[in-house]
């Protein structure tokens, strides 16, 4: 039964791992199917649920901005609440990349894709990310996994990794030769012809254009103005008030949201010594209480993403609803929980003798 349940890339795996993967996948399907039976309305209207999350999240960001400008909501609250709404849009983008909403209505689908990008300008073009993310699923933890390696997965922990998680552009500037090497590894694995290789190289060079470039330009100007005024004293800067409003309502919420998802995702995935296509070795699960502030701004990504690696079918809000039952299955079948030794091991799967993890 288990061998027949293997996906094509898993055919080389050993019997024990293949059996565990098949057991997990079968159980997640059953748990999800049972949830759908108990909630038939949500199942029948999955497109509508996705659209509702899209509209409510955008209205939430707009309402936060209006309340801040009106003096009702303080800046710190505006940043945190807006970051939450934006985290929903990030998860929605991920579901859209897997075509979970409006698969047959490309106008609505692509409108939502553009909307989640417009409100999250610190991220790359979602149509470019779609191919990167599908490639990530195929090669997770290996050298050409550009999506994860770009956010420092596999790097040793230190100032460079922290800076890159806080600001992707500064990370690129700090090690200017690193990103071309990552792109080259991705292209060599993904491209089937020289023409396709050139296309993928060029499209990834432009992945932050134009929204990402605008976001980081304005964000760096905002930070630069405040550093200058802190060092040299108050100074009149044209447009500073408008830039300040933009920083509180869009730039800063995206910065803190991006750090949260990058921190969780880059440490959640293993890298370097994983067996190709062995889902048991690709991710761990994070459930500790001290992670809650990060989880709150990436919609519990650390608790649910391992489920997605075993079964892509379910949107993020269903994964959240079934996570407890799924986590029990994951734990019983060898998936690691709270393996924080990876901070010392640069995401390597092989554990050091001193490492302790949840049983």
């Amino acid at each position: 039964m288990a061998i027949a349940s293997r996906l094509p890339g898993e055919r080389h795996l050993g019997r024990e791992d293949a059996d565990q993967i098949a057991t997990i996948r079968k159980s997640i399907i059953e748990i999800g199917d049972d949830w759908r039976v108990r909630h038939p309305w949500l199942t029948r209207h999955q497109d509508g649920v996705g659209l509702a999350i899209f509209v409510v999240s955008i209205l939430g960001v707009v309402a936060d901005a209006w309340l801040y400008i009106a003096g009702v909501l303080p800046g710190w609250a505006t940043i945190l609440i807006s970051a939450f709404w934006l985290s929903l849009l990030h998860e929605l983008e991920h579901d859209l990349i897997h075509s979970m909403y409006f698969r047959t209505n490309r106008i609505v689908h692509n409108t939502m894709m553009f909307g989640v990008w417009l409100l999250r300008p610190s991220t790359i073009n979602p149509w470019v990310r779609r191919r990167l993310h599908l490639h990530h699923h195929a090669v997770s933890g290996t050298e050409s996994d550009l999506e994860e390696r770009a956010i420092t997965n596999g790097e040793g922990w230190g100032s460079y990794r922290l800076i890159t998680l806080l600001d992707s552009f500064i990370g690129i500037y700090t090690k200017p030769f690193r990103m071309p090497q990552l792109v080259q590894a991705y292209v060599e694995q993904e491209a089937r012809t020289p023409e396709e290789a050139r296309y993928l190289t060029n499209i990834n060079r432009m992945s932050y254009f134009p929204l990402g470039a605008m976001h980081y330009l304005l964000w760096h100007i905002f930070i630069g103005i405040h550093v200058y005024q802190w060092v040299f004293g108050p100074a009149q800067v044209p447009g500073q008030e408008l830039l300040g409003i933009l920083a509180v309502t869009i730039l800063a919420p995206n910065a803190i949201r991006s750090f949260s998802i990058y921190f969780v995702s880059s440490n959640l995935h293993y890298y370097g010594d994983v067996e190709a296509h062995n889902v048991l070795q690709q991710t761990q699960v994070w459930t500790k209480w001290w992670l809650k502030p990060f989880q709150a701004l990436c919609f519990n990504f650390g608790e649910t993403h391992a489920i997605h690696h075993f079964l892509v079918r379910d949107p993020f809000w269903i994964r959240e609803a079934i996570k407890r039952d799924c986590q029990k299955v994951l734990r019983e079948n060898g998936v690691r929980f709270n393996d924080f030794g990876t901070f010392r091991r640069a995401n390597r799967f092989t554990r050091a003798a001193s490492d302790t993890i949840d049983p």
Side-chain angles (χ1 to χ4, degrees), residues 1 15 21 34 65 94 96 103 138 146 150 161 163 187 208 211 246 256 277 294 334 345 359:
M1 179 274 297
R15 181 62 179 265
I21 291 170
D34 178 68
H94 176 252
L96 287 163
R103 184 189 298 267
L146 176 58
R161 187 162 184 173
I163 289 170
V187 170
Y208 276 105
L211 298 184
L246 190 62
I256 192 172
H277 305 289
F294 303 105
R345 305 195 309 265

Side-chain angles (χ1 to χ4, degrees), residues 240 324 334:
Q240 182 176 350
R324 297 304 178 201

Side-chain angles (χ1 to χ4, degrees), residues 198-271:
R198 285 192 292 271
Y199 167 78
L200 289 176
T201 300
N202 291 331
I203 201 69
N204 276 282
R205 286 173 179 167
M206 300 294 290
S207 60
Y208 276 105
F209 184 83
L211 298 184
M214 294 171 58
H215 166 87
Y216 283 104
L217 175 63
L218 293 172
W219 182 234
H220 293 165
I221 290 174
F222 174 79
I223 293 173
I225 289 173
H226 283 77
V227 169
Y228 178 89
Q229 293 177 336
W230 179 67
V231 174
F232 297 103
Q236 290 284 47
V237 178
Q240 182 176 350
E241 183 177 355
L242 179 60
L243 182 58
I245 293 173
L246 190 62
V248 171
T249 57
I250 289 293
L251 304 180
N254 268 295
I256 192 172
R257 178 205 60 80
S258 294
F259 174 79
S260 296
I261 184 63
Y262 293 167
F263 171 75
V264 173
S265 183
S266 70
N267 288 289
L268 198 73
H269 290 85
Y270 291 102
Y271 171 78

Side-chain angles (χ1 to χ4, degrees), residues 144-158:
S144 68
D145 186 2
L146 176 58
E147 182 177 59
E148 281 300 318
R149 295 192 69 199
I151 59 172
T152 73
N153 180 257
E155 292 285 321
W157 256 99

Side-chain angles (χ1 to χ4, degrees), residues 49 51 98 157 309 312 336 350:
V49 173
L51 184 60
H98 285 288
W157 256 99
H309 268 245
V312 170
R336 292 179 184 173
T350 304

